[in-house]
Amino acid sequence: MADTFDEECDFLFKAVLIGDSGVGKSNLLSRFAKDEFRLDSKPTIGVEFAYRNIKVGDKLIKAQIWDTAGQERFRAITSSYYRGASGAVLVYDITMRSSYENVRKWLLELREFGGEEMVVVLVGNKCDLDQSREVEKEEGKGYAETEGLCFMETSALKNLNVEEVFLQMITRIYHMTRQKNLA
Ligand code: GDP
């Protein structure tokens, strides 16, 4: 897939977006995509993905980020969605408690299909809707700490922390890969 793109890169990473339907995954991705992204869709497997090139130090990283395109609604995510992924953005909606309660289930699935070494960022989205909040920030943060995940609250609507989430994940993946290559 990557070789259809013109620019040479030093690393290519795959990352996935996961979480309940309606938490804001597609909006987070399109926010991050802006105009620099190329948004492709693969309707046959019900997945969309976008690429973005990012510089970390003097290295050019091509991040390929997959979105479920609504398949999670039908419990139709298959192991191929996770295959080869080095990172994941696991999203819940701070105004929908059930989406937070399902984070455990998504994390189990991520670890089962993606492996233990995946870099996972837990994201509480829709933080612009603080008046309807059903999950406290400290709760999400505390859970992320116990599971060894990164954590951020975001608003895709207001474009808060969206860039930071993806950049943090990609930078971490890069450093982990470099360490492994040096070992
Ligand atoms: P997905 O099913 O997880 O991909 O969720 P979508 O990206 O389709 O978003 C579901 C709904 O939540 C849509 O109506 C979005 O407009 C809304 N939404 C997504 N992100 C935000 C956000 O940060 N704040 C608010 N207020 N609404 C959001």
Side-chain angles (χ1 to χ4, degrees):
M1 277 179 269
D3 48 14
T4 58
F5 288 82
D6 13 297
E7 234 175 322
E8 288 289 323
C9 65
D10 298 298
F11 295 95
L12 169 70
F13 296 139
K14 172 182 168 181
V16 295
L17 278 154
I18 200 69
D20 278 8
S21 181
V23 296
K25 298 183 295 300
S26 304
N27 276 274
L28 286 166
L29 184 54
S30 53
R31 256 300 170 207
F32 183 61
K34 297 183 197 149
D35 301 331
E36 300 126 291
F37 259 132
R38 202 177 134 155
L39 203 58
D40 289 327
S41 68
K42 286 190 126 190
T44 46
I45 54 167
V47 161
E48 290 186 344
F49 54 89
Y51 287 96
R52 180 150 158 203
N53 290 336
I54 287 141
K55 271 250 172 193
V56 178
D58 61 345
K59 302 290 182 207
L60 184 65
I61 297 172
K62 190 183 287 289
Q64 184 196 48
I65 305 188
W66 291 44
D67 182 18
T68 59
Q71 292 299 296
E72 73 281 23
R73 218 171 304 153
F74 313 109
R75 296 270 174 273
I77 309 246
T78 58
S79 56
S80 65
Y81 183 69
Y82 300 103
R83 194 169 302 135
S86 314
V89 179
L90 171 46
V91 189
Y92 66 91
D93 172 351
I94 67 149
T95 72
M96 195 172 25
R97 177 109 205 140
S98 59
S99 71
Y100 175 71
E101 277 155 11
N102 282 334
V103 159
R104 272 165 222 280
K105 187 204 71 170
W106 289 119
L107 191 58
L108 277 176
E109 190 167 307
L110 270 178
R111 290 189 167 147
E112 183 183 346
F113 294 116
E116 295 287 329
E117 284 188 13
M118 204 185 250
V119 173
V120 181
V121 187
L122 179 65
V123 166
N125 189 40
K126 308 197 189 179
C127 70
D128 55 288
L129 297 176
D130 200 46
Q131 71 285 2
S132 314
R133 181 184 281 276
E134 292 183 2
V135 186
E136 290 306 316
K137 185 175 178 181
E138 288 312 313
E139 218 180 330
K141 196 169 168 221
Y143 177 69
E145 275 167 14
T146 61
E147 292 290 342
L149 318 176
C150 309
F151 175 77
M152 266 187 220
E153 283 197 347
T154 59
S155 167
L157 184 74
K158 297 255 167 88
N159 202 8
L160 291 173
N161 273 346
V162 180
E163 186 87 359
E164 286 78 357
V165 161
F166 288 98
L167 292 187
Q168 189 184 55
M169 176 181 67
I170 291 158
T171 308
R172 279 199 180 222
I173 296 172
Y174 168 66
H175 288 303
M176 271 180 61
T177 308
R178 229 176 56 141
Q179 268 176 357
K180 253 195 256 168
N181 290 346
L182 290 175

